[in-house]
Amino acid sequence: MKVCIVYASTHHGNTRKVVEAIAGEYEVELIDATEVKERDLKDYDMIGFASGIYAAQFHQSVLNFASVNLPRSKKVFCIMTSAMGKDFSKGFLKTIENREPEYLGSYYCTGYNTFGPFKLVGGTGKGHPDETDLRKAVRFYEKLIRTDEE
Ligand SMILES: Cc1cc2nc3c(=O)[nH]c(=O)nc-3n(C[C@H](O)[C@H](O)[C@H](O)COP(=O)(O)O)c2cc1C
């Protein structure tokens, strides 16, 4: 199975830690959307989109990459780190809905945040993603590929 994860991780590398944990255990190609603007994705069986959350959205480079390169009817999943540790995939999925993807699910966790006034108090979510967050992300990925093989 050919899998890639397109990601942007510009604040503290929180999201990069998550996708690298997955790529460290499974054969997954990582594509940094802040550097790579175009890529032919037609041969990939599954495509992940991973991002830190900035003003409640995925990084603009991930949004741009998806709208330029995502073929129709692909299996997609999302990974997010944010201060709130919530699921912010809805907005992203809205931007790719015209590609009619098969959405497989999302993994999200807290990420260390020092944006704006939070810096003054030492930031929030210090130490995250931690080992437990990373283990859970790998388990999320395992489940995806196991379900796909069934
Ligand atoms: C400019 C900026 C805006 C942010 N906006 C939000 C937000 O709207 N909601 C949230 O939960 N976290 C927000 N955060 C926190 C980041 O999503 C969090 O630190 C994330 O883990 C960063 O991921 P990265 O290190 O992979 O870039 C923001 C951080 C920055 C720098």
Side-chain angles (χ1 to χ4, degrees):
M1 189 180 352
K2 206 171 162 185
V3 184
C4 67
I5 301 178
V6 177
Y7 74 96
S9 183
T10 57
H11 189 35
H12 285 292
N14 298 326
T15 312
R16 181 179 299 112
K17 281 184 197 147
V18 175
V19 298
E20 283 181 347
I22 294 170
E25 299 213 17
Y26 290 92
E27 208 177 316
V28 173
E29 188 185 342
L30 300 181
I31 300 173
D32 183 344
T34 66
E35 291 176 358
V36 180
K37 302 298 167 200
E38 281 185 37
R39 180 68 69 89
D40 184 355
L41 299 179
K42 74 171 178 314
D43 291 339
Y44 290 88
D45 302 298
M46 248 185 225
I47 300 164
F49 290 97
S51 185
I53 297 300
Y54 318 94
Q57 283 203 52
F58 277 37
H59 195 271
Q60 194 59 46
S61 65
V62 175
L63 299 173
N64 291 351
F65 187 99
S67 52
V68 170
N69 300 296
L70 182 63
R72 291 187 84 79
S73 307
K74 283 289 183 187
K75 290 178 177 168
V76 306
F77 61 95
C78 299
I79 292 172
M80 292 143 271
T81 70
S82 66
M84 291 169 79
K86 278 193 354 187
D87 184 1
F88 286 92
S89 62
K90 220 170 162 183
F92 172 72
L93 292 171
K94 187 91 189 139
T95 67
I96 60 167
E97 71 182 355
N98 62 345
R99 307 297 161 90
E100 299 176 343
E102 183 184 333
Y103 171 59
L104 303 174
S106 289
Y107 176 76
Y108 44 91
C109 68
T110 305
Y112 179 45
N113 169 42
T114 53
F115 178 55
F118 296 111
K119 197 171 182 174
L120 303 174
V121 292
T124 62
K126 209 165 186 170
H128 287 276
D130 62 10
E131 283 306 314
T132 305
D133 298 323
L134 300 182
R135 223 178 17 252
K136 283 185 182 165
V138 173
R139 232 179 285 142
F140 161 79
Y141 181 75
E142 277 167 359
K143 239 191 212 166
L144 284 188
I145 52 174
R146 224 180 296 137
T147 311
D148 193 61
E149 281 161 359
E150 275 165 10

